Amino acid sequence: MPSSTPSQLAYGRTGLLSLSDVQDSILQVHAAPASLSMPEQAIRNAFDEPIEFPEITSAILPDDTIAVVVEVDTPMSDLIFAELWRRLEQHGVSPENVTIVQPAVWKSVTGIDPRGKLPQAIQDAIKLHRHDPTDEKGCAYLASTAGGERIYLSQLLTFADVVITIGPVEFDPVLGVKGGASSLYPGLSDLESIRRSQGQGHEELRPQDPRPFREFVDEVGWLLGLQISIAVIPSGTETGSSILVGQSDAVLKQARKLMESNWIIHSTERAEQVLVTVPVDANGHGWDQVAAAVDSGRRLVERNGRIIVLSQIDALPGPGLEILKSVREPREALRPIQKANTPDLIAASRIAAAADWANVSLLSKLDSTVVSDLFMIPLESETEVLRLIGSGADTVIIEGGQHTFVQSVI
């Protein structure tokens, strides 16, 4: 993924940093893969050539009830669903038989309405449901796993004839790689399952290594009979770099390969200074994205080096980050955050670990006091960023830092 130095770096929704005056200070750039130039055509092509699966509608009867699971942070979800609906409609499926189900998320998000590209009458007929894990009547018993654990999922899935997942593919500290059946569980289960599934991840493992929870999630997909998945590989913008359609396991396998070739950074030495950009994704960008980018910087920067984060985040800290604000040293927050098992456990732990390892400087839209309380140095302008790049330390740049995984650094 190494690349020549670009003239500009995009970050946030509108940020654009010119590098023309600091080219000599930049040691290496790990560039994000290019976004799809013609996304609608790419989506049609993916549907026309599904992976290890015949035409999508071959597994669907016209009178089937269909649950389409769409994750809220899926790039191009409105374009993807519009193409899916076009084919379902041609197959004779009624819009009243289709329900879009979105997994639970702990924070307030808007996201893209997957129905947004459809005629208003079709939008009104296709139901959109955000799962509420606190609704005791919202889930039904699916089956028990081989290990004897009882699985409960949204009734909209357990009662459906066909389930299709649409979601982004990302590296994940718990799953290794997020995609496919991970759209189903735990986000479409009950509150207790979601709480039990929260974890800090496996720092010693690579994304491609076997993960017990990933295997568990895949078993849930098998118990449900999940056959069809649609996956989006990220780029450095709101539009993805690739789209995959087909048999769920085969799609995830191909997605892993694309993530490994596009988003894994292989390096044998650490850098004095690492700059990471945080562009918006389909749902803007919040602390999860900033923390993932910071974590990529931590894995590549030397001890007591500097991580520079380019973002336009304006979201207030979650409960885990509030714990970080209450301690004297970043490392002191790690155990309380884990014990509290807050919804933002991973984000808070990542920022605490990075602040303990290196100096973290954050360009954002936040009040400087908020940034300072989180053991990061607030940057007020791009001029300050350029001053740090030109300070004499060799700088490595990671575009789209929230999507990367740094591997093999000593």
Side-chain angles (χ1 to χ4, degrees), residues 198-403:
Q198 286 184 178
Q200 204 157 344
H202 306 276
E203 289 291 321
E204 74 283 2
L205 296 179
R206 303 169 302 169
Q208 58 268 46
D209 290 333
R211 309 274 182 128
F213 189 62
R214 176 74 245 187
E215 294 171 1
F216 179 86
V217 164
D218 290 338
E219 184 178 3
V220 172
W222 179 80
L223 290 170
L224 183 66
L226 177 66
Q227 295 186 64
I228 305 168
S229 288
I230 302 166
V232 183
I233 309 299
S235 67
T237 70
E238 295 173 84
T239 302
S241 62
S242 301
I243 178 170
L244 306 173
V245 177
Q247 197 276 332
S248 294
D249 292 340
V251 165
L252 182 60
K253 182 178 179 180
Q254 181 64 26
R256 286 176 181 270
K257 292 180 179 179
L258 288 172
M259 289 299 294
E260 289 171 18
S261 62
N262 288 315
W263 288 108
I264 286 185
I265 297 174
H266 297 275
S267 182
T268 56
E269 59 182 349
R270 292 183 176 271
E272 296 177 85
Q273 187 163 264
V274 177
L275 183 149
V276 290
T277 69
V278 189
V280 295
D281 59 21
N283 197 43
H285 70 331
W287 285 108
D288 288 343
Q289 290 80 12
V290 168
V294 168
D295 187 64
S296 294
R298 178 186 67 83
R299 292 173 180 272
L300 190 57
V301 76
E302 63 185 26
R303 179 71 168 163
N304 296 322
R306 183 178 298 278
I307 303 167
I308 304 169
V309 186
L310 298 188
S311 83
Q312 292 182 325
I313 184 172
D314 59 2
L316 293 176
L321 287 170
E322 288 294 332
I323 293 174
L324 176 59
K325 290 167 61 176
S326 69
V327 299
R328 292 175 299 177
E329 298 291 338
R331 70 172 69 89
E332 295 176 6
L334 290 171
R335 189 177 295 277
I337 291 169
Q338 187 173 14
K339 184 177 180 181
N341 198 26
T342 59
D344 63 337
L345 181 153
I346 289 174
S349 298
R350 282 174 157 176
I351 290 176
D356 182 57
W357 177 262
N359 299 292
V360 182
S361 298
L362 176 67
L363 180 66
S364 71
K365 292 187 175 181
L366 294 164
D367 184 272
S368 60
T369 303
V370 174
V371 178
S372 298
D373 287 346
L374 294 172
F375 299 94
M376 294 184 286
I377 301 167
L379 298 174
E380 302 295 340
S381 67
E382 291 181 353
T383 300
E384 292 188 35
V385 175
L386 294 173
R387 188 178 298 120
L388 289 176
I389 298 174
S391 63
D394 287 335
T395 302
V396 172
I397 293 175
I398 302 175
E399 290 187 306
Q402 70 262 46
H403 304 304

